[in-house]
Amino acid sequence: MSVRILALVGSLRAGSHNRQLAEAAAKHAPEGVEIAVHEGLAAIPFYNEDIDVEGNVPEAAAELRAAAAQADALLFFSPEYNGTMPAVLKNAIDWLSRPYGAGAISGKPVAVVGTAFGQYGGVWAQDDARKSVGIAGGHVVEGATLSIPGSVTRFAETHPSDDAEVVEGLRKVIEQVVESNPAA
């Protein structure tokens, strides 16, 4: 049986190390696991109940919800902006949390990982993302964490997919997510 994981990247920057981390996860996913990196978070308007109307949901938000609904689990990649998660990631969580109690991530296994320039690898942002996605209805997989510090220097000349320690950490998180998935 194949497990589908939707990856959401909280950085929109070209050459983002978190984007590269998501690419590494997709490239090195264990056999039977498919990781799809979602495109289009930049096109989703900020969550507003006035525009979240059945039959009239903005196309980019509807596409995100559909992709999450088709996934067995989600993997969030969060950098740290001013000590917390980026707005684009929080906005995605907000859209995925609705309709309240029955959002596209309700009950699905979720893990949050990431890299940042600082000495803690974005752990504050990732903790905030875990809190938010858990409140939004996702099942945050206990212990499925990976925070990689010093991204600017560590990945200056090496793509995360070529870093054996990073690949091993990603595989461990992915395996934990798969093991917690009742569909697996």
Side-chain angles (χ1 to χ4, degrees):
M1 171 177 234
S2 180
V3 175
R4 294 175 316 241
I5 298 176
L6 180 66
L8 301 178
V9 179
S11 175
L12 303 177
R13 181 178 65 83
S16 158
H17 295 122
N18 280 282
R19 172 65 184 217
Q20 292 175 2
L21 201 58
E23 292 167 356
K27 179 178 179 180
H28 294 288
E31 187 173 332
V33 177
E34 173 194 342
I35 297 178
V37 180
H38 187 75
E39 304 295 342
L41 292 185
I44 301 172
F46 282 113
Y47 185 78
N48 176 341
E49 287 183 57
D50 292 341
I51 62 172
D52 187 8
V53 179
E54 189 172 335
N56 202 29
V57 172
E59 184 178 348
E63 289 171 1
L64 173 64
R65 284 178 173 167
Q70 293 172 1
D72 298 308
L74 287 90
L75 191 52
F76 290 78
F77 293 83
S78 183
E80 189 168 273
Y81 293 174
N82 298 312
T84 192
M85 77 176 113
V88 69
L89 202 55
K90 176 63 169 75
N91 190 46
I93 293 168
D94 290 345
W95 278 102
L96 291 172
S97 73
R98 300 291 191 250
Y100 182 75
I105 59 173
S106 258
K108 291 191 181 195
V110 176
V112 180
V113 300
T115 186
F117 178 64
Q119 66 181 338
Y120 302 112
V123 72
W124 292 345
Q126 294 156 33
D127 286 347
D128 286 348
R130 281 184 204 94
K131 176 184 174 186
S132 183
V133 80
I135 291 169
H139 168 67
V140 178
V141 179
E142 189 72 31
T145 63
L146 179 64
S147 301
I148 304 164
S151 61
V152 173
T153 52
R154 183 165 189 163
F155 302 126
E157 296 182 21
T158 303
H159 191 283
S161 65
D162 297 326
D163 184 317
E165 182 182 9
V166 169
V167 169
E168 179 60 30
L170 286 169
R171 286 182 69 90
K172 181 180 175 188
V173 167
I174 295 165
E175 288 168 359
Q176 289 173 291
V177 169
V178 169
E179 288 170 8
S180 72
N181 183 3

